[in-house]
Amino acid sequence: MPIEERRALQGKRLQKIVSYVYHNVPFYRNKMQQMDIQPSDIRSVDDIKYLPFTTKQDLRDNYPFGLQAAPQSEIIRVHASSGTTGNPTIVGYTRKDIEIWSECMARCLTSYGVTRDDIFSVAYGYGLFTGGLGVHYGVENLGATVIPASTGNTEKHIRLIRDLGITGIACTPSYALHLAEVMEKMGIDIKDLKLRFGAFGAEPWTEKMRAEIQDKLGIKAYNLYGLSEIMGPCVSYECICQRGSHINEDHYYPELIDPNTLKSVREGETGELVFTTLTKEGMPLLRYRTRDLTTLHSGLCDCGRTSIKMGKIMGRSDDMLIIRGINVFPSQVESVLLSIPECAPHYRLIVDRIDNLDTLTVQVELRPECFGQFDTIEPINDLEKKVSSKLKSVLSIIAKTQVKAPGTIERSQGKSCFVEDRRNSLTD
Ligand code: ADP
Ligand code: ZN
């Protein structure tokens, strides 16, 4: 859709949703009244700046259904956020919400050529988490065959991938790597598989990780982004160009702000993503602060789409670690580790406080193919020094490195937990 036409559509939808929440959600009516704003003050999408923000804390304060706009009789499904950063938040969906979600999800898959002839396996968790059912309905909407594999039972899943000729898979990027490892152990050659594409998301991942997955599984790996508060997977998706993720902005209107001043940042600069749901009935949200940090890029994409694109998620404003005053995102550590050929993409960061000083320990696995060269302690010590010195030169952080044997760092089936912050459990 041409940009001007879409902006007009967004403006119309925004007016409608603002009036809807004003009349159906006391939380928003009170906020708007306090700010002296009437629904009729919103005339175009530019007026979004007059509207109040919504935070995760607002959702928690109104737990479970306080921000729901539709009556319970219209709600046909409930999901919850995975609770990575605290208590889960509950989201109710109407039938129309589920239809729009499925359509947006089908758009994601279509953008890299998934068709009715494909067999798509969904290896996100099914349940309250939006990943499983969200992608499932998208595959069905498109008319491809869906295999509801869910997580767990990796070997059985791999046999299905081979025997059924599965062509696409959706899961977390870390689980994709785990699949590749197990496949290798089972002696399955990717040449005997029909896998062609993967939709990976629910946790941050890097370009290096993408290269690794593409290489090991012999597929194209595409980013898929979403969050339960706004809908679930489908908020944005990569196209065949693999350069940024197109936002389904006719339904989820994006803004990028400085998390401290709350003012919008210039295009290309990093900021916190904020979404307004333009068509949602169950739990519509105005200017929801995702705490996800990224960049936005407008302009026509080589694939022909006009929708705005977001960069990779650099991290969440609340998973940023502050170690001796230096801001560190786990994804930055990952990039450094993966630039060292002997390091596998399996790692864990342990933050502690010893004698009132923050300490960071980085545990990283050796690549199995390098294992043979590390039969004495010396080369391991050398590699540990090399990793620590690279972390210091690139990120200016002082970290102790522990190189671990392949396969010894726990794998996750859902969202990975790369960080153990022991400072939170200190009692003194
Ligand atoms: P929770 O916030 O409890 O993890 P959700 O299950 O709704 O709840 O997860 C949404 C969050 O997951 C996003 O806000 C984002 O931080 C992360 N996420 C989802 N998709 C991606 C992706 N493709 N890249 C990076 N992070 C992602
Ligand atoms: Zn594109």
Side-chain angles (χ1 to χ4, degrees):
M1 187 182 273
I3 291 169
E4 281 316 307
E5 201 178 314
R6 189 177 52 239
R7 278 191 81 73
L9 177 72
Q10 287 167 327
K12 247 178 33 211
R13 289 183 169 174
L14 181 66
Q15 282 176 304
K16 204 167 152 193
I17 205 83
V18 168
S19 157
Y20 176 62
V21 296
Y22 187 88
H23 291 106
N24 292 284
V25 186
F27 167 82
Y28 280 123
R29 186 165 53 248
N30 293 340
K31 269 206 164 187
M32 286 172 64
Q33 282 172 348
Q34 277 162 18
M35 295 165 78
D36 203 15
I37 311 161
Q38 298 287 320
S40 55
D41 295 334
I42 306 301
R43 294 194 188 91
S44 80
V45 83
D46 296 323
D47 296 332
I48 199 164
K49 55 181 181 285
Y50 302 122
L51 293 169
F53 286 103
T54 312
T55 63
K56 187 108 175 170
Q57 192 57 42
D58 293 328
L59 298 186
R60 292 197 174 127
D61 292 347
N62 290 282
Y63 175 90
F65 293 125
L67 292 190
Q68 197 167 289
Q72 200 60 41
S73 56
E74 295 299 316
I75 300 294
I76 63 161
R77 200 196 295 169
V78 165
H79 280 285
S81 75
S82 19
T84 312
T85 57
N87 289 334
T89 40
I90 305 296
V91 189
Y93 301 78
T94 66
R95 189 173 302 279
K96 187 171 155 230
D97 292 339
I98 300 283
E99 276 165 16
I100 289 175
W101 184 4
S102 312
E103 188 195 310
C104 286
M105 190 55 229
R107 283 185 195 171
C108 308
L109 299 166
T110 312
S111 72
Y112 32 91
V114 182
T115 69
R116 305 166 61 96
D117 297 326
D118 281 295
I119 306 181
F120 214 92
S121 161
V122 181
Y124 281 118
Y126 278 64
L128 280 173
F129 174 52
T130 51
L133 284 169
V135 179
H136 182 108
Y137 272 64
V139 179
E140 280 194 358
N141 181 296
L142 179 59
T145 310
V146 64
I147 308 293
S150 196
T151 50
N153 218 336
T154 307
E155 294 196 4
K156 180 176 168 196
H157 185 199
I158 291 172
R159 279 192 292 275
L160 283 178
I161 292 177
R162 183 193 56 198
D163 300 345
L164 308 189
I166 287 173
T167 52
I169 180 166
C171 60
T172 58
S174 46
Y175 190 63
L177 279 180
H178 179 56
L179 272 177
E181 276 184 331
V182 178
M183 252 177 216
E184 212 177 302
K185 275 198 203 123
M186 290 168 70
I188 289 184
D189 189 341
I190 51 168
K191 289 197 200 74
D192 299 329
L193 306 179
K194 295 209 173 118
L195 268 188
R196 288 194 290 137
F197 17 56
F200 303 122
E203 65 189 18
W205 53 311
T206 54
E207 281 304 319
K208 288 242 156 62
M209 188 116 163
R210 183 201 317 259
E212 182 97 15
I213 295 173
Q214 297 197 146
D215 179 51
K216 292 219 156 126
L217 287 177
I219 60 172
K220 286 274 184 199
Y222 298 99
N223 188 41
L224 174 63
Y225 167 87
L227 62 165
S228 48
E229 292 85 349
I230 297 305
M231 196 56 113
C234 82
V235 172
S236 77
Y237 57 97
E238 261 180 340
C239 63
I240 210 128
C241 306
Q242 293 183 311
R243 287 214 341 259
S245 301
H246 288 278
I247 297 176
N248 276 315
E249 54 165 318
D250 49 337
H251 296 289
Y252 321 113
Y253 185 79
E255 294 173 89
L256 204 62
I257 61 162
D258 177 325
N260 299 314
T261 63
L262 305 184
K263 296 257 178 306
S264 55
V265 302
R266 270 198 306 259
E267 180 153 337
E269 281 176 13
T270 301
E272 178 184 345
L273 253 183
V274 171
F275 283 109
T276 298
T277 62
L278 295 177
T279 49
K280 210 162 168 216
E281 295 178 337
M283 191 182 77
L285 295 180
L286 301 183
R287 308 187 85 193
Y288 179 66
R289 294 185 55 185
T290 63
R291 301 180 295 178
D292 289 331
L293 301 173
T294 187
T295 49
L296 285 180
H297 309 271
S298 54
L300 186 67
C301 180
D302 288 344
C303 73
R305 287 177 181 76
T306 57
S307 50
I308 197 162
K309 293 201 285 189
M310 56 187 257
K312 285 229 153 153
I313 301 289
M314 293 181 41
R316 300 188 187 201
S317 52
D318 49 6
D319 72 10
M320 184 180 77
L321 294 165
I322 304 182
I323 297 168
R324 298 193 193 183
I326 296 174
N327 301 349
V328 188
F329 286 104
S331 59
Q332 293 176 301
V333 176
E334 181 182 306
S335 301
V336 171
L337 293 176
L338 290 184
S339 67
I340 299 171
E342 295 92 341
C343 293
H346 303 290
Y347 65 94
R348 205 174 156 76
L349 312 184
I350 299 164
V351 190
D352 209 340
R353 183 163 293 153
I354 296 168
D355 295 336
N356 293 317
L357 266 188
D358 297 336
T359 62
L360 172 65
T361 307
V362 175
Q363 297 182 330
V364 61
E365 276 182 22
L366 259 182
R367 283 194 184 269
E369 57 271 29
C370 303
F371 196 43
Q373 311 150 21
F374 288 82
D375 46 357
T376 57
I377 198 82
E378 234 171 56
I380 295 187
N381 284 343
D382 288 347
L383 179 57
E384 287 176 342
K385 275 191 210 133
K386 181 168 147 190
V387 175
S388 291
S389 96
K390 191 137 190 202
L391 285 168
K392 179 146 191 275
S393 68
V394 180
L395 301 179
S396 309
I397 50 167
I398 297 171
K400 188 171 162 214
T401 304
Q402 294 174 344
V403 171
K404 302 284 218 183
T408 52
I409 293 177
E410 203 188 328
R411 306 289 190 264
S412 89
Q413 309 230 319
K415 281 176 195 265
S416 295
C417 190
F418 304 107
V419 182
E420 186 183 331
D421 198 339
R422 295 182 181 156
R423 292 176 300 188
N424 302 336
S425 55
L426 296 180
T427 45
D428 57 338

